[in-house]
């Protein structure tokens, strides 16, 4: 299987990693927190430094993410979900992940979509790979949450890189890609 087909078949997985990794492109050097955390990671609390307009934006971002998740959950076509066929034209603004509500919505959405895929795909051989991807993305989102105050942290980015290049995740990604190629092409 060539790299182009492999890339296309893991659309859902890559979209989540893409959305998460773009958060690392923003800067938080101008943000100050009042309370010490005992680490080099600043604790911003739960959107406490965001003004009312930012909170509205965060709510809107969470609603947009939920709309995408709902669209995926409404589909019983695993191929459409895995290839992102049903999501053409829909995007998540990576800056929306500055909102804790949007991050929580995305984390729950990842869990829900993977649970949905496990339910609707009758092939038991693919289920462990989907569960490995789900667990990895939950861990990635936990790292994003931990480093929200410092999204450009080398340590946080290294942790995410380690998760998405781990042999179990790479094997799961390959398994899902192969299944998608065989069943959805």
């Amino acid at each position: 299987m060539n790299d182009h087909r492999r890339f296309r078949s893991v659309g859902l997985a890559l979209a989540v990693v893409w959305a998460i990794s773009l958060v690392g492109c923003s800067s938080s050097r101008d943000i100050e927190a009042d309370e010490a955390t005992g680490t080099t990671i600043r604790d911003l609390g739960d959107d406490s430094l965001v003004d009312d307009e930012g909170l509205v934006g965060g709510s809107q971002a969470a609603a947009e993410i939920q709309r995408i998740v709902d669209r995926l959950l409404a589909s019983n076509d695993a191929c459409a979900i895995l290839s992102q066929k049903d999501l053409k034209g829909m995007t998540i603004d990576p800056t929306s992940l500055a909102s804790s509500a949007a991050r929580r919505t995305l984390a729950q959405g990842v869990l829900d979509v993977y649970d949905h895929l496990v339910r609707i795909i009758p092939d038991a051989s693919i289920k462990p790979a989907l569960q490995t991807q789900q667990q990895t993305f939950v861990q990635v989102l936990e790292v994003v949450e931990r480093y929200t105050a410092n999204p450009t942290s080398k340590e946080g980015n290294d942790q995410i890189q380690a998760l998405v290049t781990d042999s179990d995740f790479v094997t799961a990604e390959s398994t899902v890609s192969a299944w998608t190629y065989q069943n959805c092409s």
Side-chain angles (χ1 to χ4, degrees):
M1 162 177 14
N2 69 32
D3 288 337
H4 182 264
R5 288 183 182 149
R6 182 171 184 252
F7 176 76
R8 192 187 104 232
S9 66
V10 294
L12 176 63
L14 292 176
V16 172
V17 170
W18 173 78
I20 292 165
S21 66
L22 286 177
V23 173
C25 296
S26 60
S27 177
S28 63
R29 290 190 177 118
D30 296 330
I31 300 174
E32 294 184 25
D34 293 332
E35 299 188 26
T37 63
T39 71
T40 58
I41 303 168
R42 290 175 279 179
D43 182 9
L44 297 180
D46 190 32
D47 293 329
S48 61
L49 297 178
V50 180
D51 58 19
D52 289 338
E53 185 178 311
L55 289 174
V56 170
S59 296
Q60 290 171 342
E64 280 299 306
I65 291 169
Q66 189 61 54
R67 189 169 70 94
I68 291 169
V69 168
D70 290 345
R71 192 166 181 177
L72 292 169
L73 295 175
S75 175
N76 285 322
D77 182 353
C79 292
I81 295 170
L82 290 170
S83 68
Q84 298 181 24
K85 178 181 158 189
D86 288 344
L87 297 180
K88 297 288 187 227
M90 298 182 86
T91 59
I92 298 172
D93 177 1
T95 61
S96 68
L97 294 181
S99 158
S100 63
R103 291 189 309 273
R104 282 191 303 271
T105 302
L106 180 60
Q108 187 59 52
V110 168
L111 288 171
D112 293 346
V113 169
Y114 275 99
D115 285 343
H116 181 63
L117 284 168
V118 167
R119 280 192 303 275
I120 65 174
I121 296 176
D123 185 352
S125 69
I126 192 70
K127 294 179 186 208
L130 290 169
Q131 290 167 332
T132 296
Q133 284 186 322
Q134 178 189 46
Q135 292 164 359
T136 301
F137 288 127
V138 167
Q139 291 172 331
V140 167
L141 289 167
E142 288 171 356
V143 172
V144 169
E145 186 67 28
R146 211 172 27 247
Y147 288 91
T148 299
N150 190 8
T152 59
S153 165
K154 180 177 176 358
E155 184 178 341
N157 289 327
D158 289 348
Q159 288 175 18
I160 291 171
Q161 184 67 22
L163 288 166
V164 298
T165 58
D166 179 76
S167 62
D168 289 342
F169 179 76
V170 171
T171 300
E173 181 180 49
S174 179
T175 301
V176 172
S177 294
W179 185 92
T180 304
Y181 179 73
Q182 289 175 336
N183 295 281
C184 302
S185 296

